[in-house]
Amino acid sequence: EIYLKYGATNEGKRQDSAMQKFRDNRLGVFIHWGLYAIPGGEWNGKVYAGAAEWLKSWAKVPSNEWMQLMSQWNPTKFDAKKWAVMAKEMGAKYVKITTKHHEGFCLWPSKYSKYTVASTPYKRDLLGEMVKAYNEEGIDVHFYFSVMDWSNSDYRYDIKSQEDSIAFSRFLEFTDNQLKELAARYPTVKDFWFDGTWDASIKKNGWWTAHAEQMLKELLPGVTINSRLRADDKGKRHFDSNGRLMGDYESGYERRLPDPVQDLKVTQWDWEACMTVPENQWGYHKDWSLSYIKTPFEVIDRIVHAVSMGGNMVVNFGPQADGDFRPEEKALATAIGKWMQCYGKAIYACDYAEFDKQDWGYYTRGKNGEVYMIVFNQPYSERLIVKTPKGISIEQASLLTTNENIVVVETTRNEYNVSVPQKNPGEPYVIQLKIRVAE
Ligand SMILES: C#C[C@@H]1N[C@@H](C)[C@@H](O)[C@H]1O
């Protein structure tokens, strides 16, 4: 064991009600919205295929020039209630909102920065309106917050001089002030998801990451904090130098997922993945033809994959500059919502089932010990192979949506053929298993 002053603080998964709610929510919506939505990936007539929220970087735009976009920020179609209803109808139980992305533009009227909604033609506190509207729909609000801030001249990528150190200390104080401001203005916030914490400057200030976590937990009892904020005494991120998870849940699965056979270690801790619908666009990009766009079933596969391994999934939406969503995103939210309406019982408040992964799809386990089979790939054999853990047998199986009895034949010890439904549901479907645990 290495002695650490700023290592992991939790021993194992948090079991308090706030963390249980985080876990039970399972499906979230990411909202990436900022000045980058105005150019939508294009600068001076050139379209950049990279992530649209990084356009300032791709096009090498100086900050003072980039911030002139504030004069065009006027999302006249923005309607927080419409946004909240869209998330509700999708079946999302929480939303993660970019309070401030790397560009440094704040969706709330921060008194610590001149780059906020208050200094735009629109003026209104967009973050406040969103928090209120989502909460009124029963949706928990999480805050995305980028520590790296391209608009702040005190930010440093590394600390190489006394001047760097003095400037970065000012920057960390500025960041503390903004975090305290967010906690005070929006006390119903349930989580902080930190990003922009990969630079050497942060890794050399692991103490601050531990301080920021502790400060927010004192201001907002029960709040959850992601592992991506954290660096320990030696600059180790996410997991400390003793291999322990820092923060309350692991947040490294960005646009990727753990392997259901090789990476079962993730079931030991809480974790949350986030994903984009195009290959890599978080902010609004005007041209979605530049990369593959995932279909609703491909998004649903990733949602189920995460839950089957004890994780959450956050699906990203990049609203337009005018405050409306592109048609493809509205259609996606509707399609996911339709599926979650029928099969959400196998997702919400469900967890890793401890059954060996099979080719036909994924397992989840409900709170009352019921096991769900979420079938994405129906085999020509019309038999779904199930291998049960030692001491567990299948008593009965039924189609979740209709309660149709599903024939189960034991083929050998702890191995069964579960029949497919009489009529192919024509979409990923769920079979509920009633299992018996040997005394
Ligand atoms: C890199 C990077 C950032 N992390 C994702 C969650 C997006 O915010 C992207 O810009």
Side-chain angles (χ1 to χ4, degrees):
E1 278 272 305
I2 303 167
Y3 170 70
L4 295 168
K5 284 176 76 176
Y6 311 117
T9 47
N10 296 344
E11 271 299 331
K13 295 182 182 181
R14 270 177 53 176
Q15 294 305 326
D16 57 287
S17 58
M19 190 71 211
Q20 193 55 52
K21 179 68 167 57
F22 175 99
R23 197 178 291 130
D24 289 351
N25 282 346
R26 286 305 185 213
L27 175 60
V29 155
F30 225 141
I31 293 285
H32 272 75
W33 202 32
L35 297 177
Y36 42 78
I38 297 170
E42 180 175 347
W43 197 263
N44 290 342
K46 179 176 178 344
V47 174
Y48 292 77
E53 71 285 354
W54 276 71
L55 177 63
K56 178 185 178 296
S57 177
W58 311 138
K60 299 181 173 41
V61 184
S63 218
N64 51 7
E65 181 183 348
W66 181 263
M67 285 308 181
Q68 285 165 27
L69 288 167
M70 282 172 47
S71 64
Q72 299 173 53
W73 180 264
N74 193 21
T76 50
K77 290 186 181 168
F78 173 71
D79 180 328
K81 179 156 179 65
K82 275 188 189 164
W83 285 30
V85 167
M86 179 175 153
K88 176 104 175 177
E89 288 176 354
M90 177 179 139
K93 300 294 184 187
Y94 66 106
V95 64
K96 298 187 108 94
I97 305 169
T98 51
T99 59
K100 179 180 83 171
H101 204 262
H102 313 328
E103 64 180 3
F105 177 65
C106 304
L107 288 183
W108 83 100
S110 173
K111 61 176 189 282
Y112 299 101
S113 167
K114 57 181 186 251
Y115 304 125
T116 83
V117 282
S119 310
T120 69
Y122 195 72
K123 300 202 182 314
R124 282 158 46 189
D125 174 6
L126 288 165
L127 187 60
E129 292 184 31
M130 283 188 241
V131 169
K132 180 172 179 295
Y134 282 114
N135 283 171
E136 282 171 356
E137 292 299 326
I139 291 172
D140 288 342
V141 171
H142 294 192
F143 284 166
Y144 165 109
F145 184 91
S146 175
V147 177
M148 177 173 72
D149 183 334
W150 293 330
S151 77
N152 190 307
S153 56
D154 284 334
Y155 185 74
R156 292 291 182 280
Y157 292 97
D158 198 351
I159 309 297
K160 292 192 167 145
S161 67
Q162 181 65 0
E163 193 280 331
D164 283 344
S165 187
I166 293 166
F168 202 62
S169 297
R170 277 198 305 269
F171 179 78
L172 292 178
E173 186 183 353
F174 154 76
T175 305
D176 279 352
N177 286 332
Q178 286 205 314
L179 292 175
K180 285 185 278 191
E181 186 179 48
L182 285 168
R185 291 178 62 92
Y186 313 108
T188 62
V189 66
K190 295 288 182 263
D191 171 89
F192 279 78
W193 198 92
F194 286 92
D195 199 7
T197 52
W198 47 77
D199 287 324
S201 53
I202 303 283
K203 291 195 277 191
K204 288 177 178 173
N205 285 279
W207 70 270
W208 176 79
T209 72
H211 148 78
E213 174 178 0
Q214 191 185 348
M215 175 180 77
L216 287 170
K217 289 190 170 182
E218 284 167 9
L219 290 169
L220 299 163
V223 77
T224 48
I225 304 284
N226 70 329
S227 62
R228 194 177 292 205
L229 162 67
R230 301 284 277 100
D232 73 1
D233 315 41
K234 304 186 182 306
K236 196 83 169 56
R237 298 183 61 228
H238 293 274
F239 292 87
D240 70 17
S241 302
N242 292 313
R244 289 206 185 87
L245 181 68
M246 296 185 278
D248 298 306
Y249 60 96
E250 203 275 316
S251 57
Y253 288 105
E254 177 178 317
R255 297 191 304 115
R256 63 190 178 94
L257 280 168
D259 180 277
V261 176
Q262 308 298 331
D263 296 330
L264 285 174
K265 63 181 183 300
V266 304
T267 60
Q268 298 166 59
W269 50 78
D270 284 303
W271 60 280
E272 177 195 73
C274 53
M275 64 172 287
T276 51
V277 179
E279 200 281 322
N280 185 15
Q281 293 297 339
W282 299 87
Y284 173 78
H285 195 291
K286 61 180 59 176
D287 186 354
W288 264 21
S289 71
L290 296 175
S291 82
Y292 181 71
I293 305 300
K294 298 173 192 71
T295 65
F297 285 166
E298 287 173 324
V299 172
I300 290 167
D301 185 295
R302 286 164 174 79
I303 295 166
V304 176
H305 180 154
V307 178
S308 77
M309 297 183 77
N312 286 19
M313 176 56 87
V314 188
V315 180
N316 184 74
F317 291 76
Q320 300 166 164
D322 65 2
D324 200 358
F325 289 87
R326 64 190 331 133
E328 302 94 320
E329 289 185 339
K330 289 179 181 172
L332 174 66
T334 302
I336 294 171
K338 185 169 161 283
W339 193 86
M340 291 302 288
Q341 197 85 35
C342 298
Y343 304 104
K345 200 169 166 222
I347 303 297
Y348 303 123
C350 288
D351 211 320
Y352 170 53
E354 300 178 42
F355 278 44
D356 291 347
K357 173 85 170 63
Q358 299 296 331
D359 292 342
W360 44 258
Y362 307 92
Y363 295 102
T364 62
R365 189 192 64 239
K367 282 249 174 21
N368 305 313
E370 73 280 16
V371 172
Y372 299 104
M373 299 168 63
I374 303 100
V375 181
F376 283 84
N377 314 303
Q378 181 163 301
Y380 288 108
S381 67
E382 299 199 330
R383 278 142 184 75
L384 307 168
I385 295 171
V386 172
K387 293 180 181 175
T388 58
K390 195 166 174 312
I392 288 184
S393 55
I394 298 177
E395 257 190 4
Q396 192 260 344
S398 55
L399 191 62
L400 182 68
T401 43
T402 63
N403 238 356
E404 169 193 339
N405 184 58
I406 296 284
V407 174
V408 178
V409 175
E410 186 169 4
T411 52
T412 182
R413 180 183 288 279
N414 291 105
E415 192 164 326
Y416 299 81
N417 276 350
V418 174
S419 304
V420 301
Q422 270 153 27
K423 183 172 173 297
N424 188 325
E427 63 184 8
Y429 59 85
V430 174
I431 289 171
Q432 179 168 345
L433 299 179
K434 191 162 178 289
I435 59 171
R436 182 167 5 96
V437 182
E439 297 300 318

